């Protein structure tokens, strides 16, 4: 996603490499592939311009140093990209809301202890269900998640994807997953605009 440069490790690495003088030109297809936030687009291209690194947007035919109207064109295209990103987000959220109301289950259905049937139904997978029961029993008896991982591996229990190695994060998320209480919960996290 190009919505925030702070969350893009490769983008930040590219900016760091630019400051180290590793290149003098960045070629990208369009403004929306560089960033989808007008402020980020202008700030980052200005930083690059100060160190004589040019950005060329091929589809938009914008050069950030060679073109006299480059920043004006860039501002317009970045604003359009930001607006399109916002509209896409609104459409996705509206579609999700309708799906929630219609009982559509999101995700790939790869939930330990269940097999997904069609779009809207889970059925208990008996073998995996035993693994889930073991986790909860061990946790209730005072075992920590790392200890549970070890016990699962010792008992040759398989993950939902069929692996033999257990990760503490997987065990922790399983124990905290409301689906094991019969509740399918959406939008556990909310990111404000």
């Amino acid at each position: 996603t190009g919505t925030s440069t702070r969350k893009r490790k490769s983008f930040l690495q590219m900016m760091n490499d630019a400051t180290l003088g590793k290149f003098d030109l960045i070629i990208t297809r369009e403004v929306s592939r560089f960033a989808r936030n007008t402020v980020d687009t202008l700030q980052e291209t200005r930083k690059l311009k100060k160190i004589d690194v040019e950005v060329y947007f091929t589809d938009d035919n914008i050069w950030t140093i060679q073109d006299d109207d480059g920043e004006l064109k860039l501002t317009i295209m970045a604003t359009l990209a930001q607006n399109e990103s916002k509209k896409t987000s609104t459409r996705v959220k509206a579609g999700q809301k309708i799906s929630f109301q219609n009982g559509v289950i999101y995700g790939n259905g790869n939930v330990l202890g269940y097999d997904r049937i069609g779009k809207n139904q889970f059925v208990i997978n008996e073998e995996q269900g035993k693994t889930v029961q073991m986790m909860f029993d061990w946790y209730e008896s005072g075992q920590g998640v790392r200890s549970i991982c070890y016990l699962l591996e010792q008992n040759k229990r398989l993950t939902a994807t069929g692996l033999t190695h257990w990760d503490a994060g997987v065990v922790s998320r399983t124990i905290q997953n409301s689906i094991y209480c019969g509740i399918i919960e959406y939008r556990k996290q909310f990111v404000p605009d």
Side-chain angles (χ1 to χ4, degrees):
T1 178
T3 53
S4 173
T5 56
R6 292 186 315 268
K7 298 178 184 176
R8 299 168 62 199
K9 290 180 184 175
S10 296
F11 184 90
L12 295 172
Q13 180 65 52
M14 175 187 73
M15 293 299 291
N16 186 55
D17 288 349
T19 61
L20 296 174
K22 292 187 175 185
F23 53 83
D24 58 8
L25 174 65
I26 296 169
I27 301 173
T28 186
R29 191 171 41 116
E30 56 190 18
V31 175
S32 66
R33 303 315 309 151
F34 186 79
R36 291 196 184 114
N37 176 300
T38 307
V39 173
D40 284 347
T41 301
L42 294 174
Q43 284 179 341
E44 300 305 321
T45 55
R46 285 175 182 164
K47 284 180 195 173
L48 292 165
K49 192 174 185 177
K50 281 183 183 176
I51 57 173
D52 291 324
V53 174
E54 180 145 37
V55 183
Y56 173 51
F57 301 94
T58 60
D59 286 4
D60 304 313
N61 195 28
I62 298 172
W63 293 86
T64 56
I65 295 178
Q66 295 178 26
D67 191 346
D68 291 336
D69 295 330
E71 188 158 307
L72 172 64
K73 292 178 195 174
L74 187 60
T75 302
I76 293 167
M77 297 307 291
T79 303
L80 291 171
Q82 180 176 321
N83 188 51
E84 184 57 35
S85 178
K86 187 174 182 176
K87 286 193 314 190
T88 299
S89 176
T90 301
R91 286 192 299 266
V92 167
K93 287 177 184 174
Q96 287 176 340
K97 185 176 181 182
I98 291 168
S99 293
F100 300 157
Q101 290 168 344
N102 292 333
V104 174
I105 298 170
Y106 265 48
N108 62 10
N110 197 9
V111 178
L112 184 66
Y114 294 96
D115 292 325
R116 187 170 179 169
I117 307 296
K119 288 184 179 180
N120 300 331
Q121 187 178 5
F122 282 120
V123 295
I124 294 173
N125 176 315
E126 296 294 335
E127 186 59 30
Q128 289 184 0
K130 291 175 187 174
T131 303
V132 173
Q133 187 62 54
M134 287 175 176
M135 280 185 192
F136 278 91
D137 289 345
W138 289 325
Y139 186 74
E140 193 175 63
S141 73
Q143 297 292 331
V145 291
R146 292 194 198 291
S147 177
I148 293 171
C149 290
Y150 175 77
L151 291 167
L152 290 167
E153 290 172 3
Q154 288 295 319
N155 284 275
K156 303 193 183 328
R157 304 309 296 182
L158 300 178
T159 67
T161 56
L163 301 176
T164 56
H165 174 73
W166 283 88
D167 180 81
V170 171
V171 172
S172 179
R173 284 189 300 275
T174 300
I175 291 168
Q176 295 176 38
N177 194 338
S178 62
I179 198 166
Y180 298 110
C181 298
I183 301 167
I184 296 177
E185 186 179 6
Y186 295 109
R187 290 189 162 164
K188 294 177 185 178
Q189 297 177 338
F190 175 74
V191 178
D193 188 2

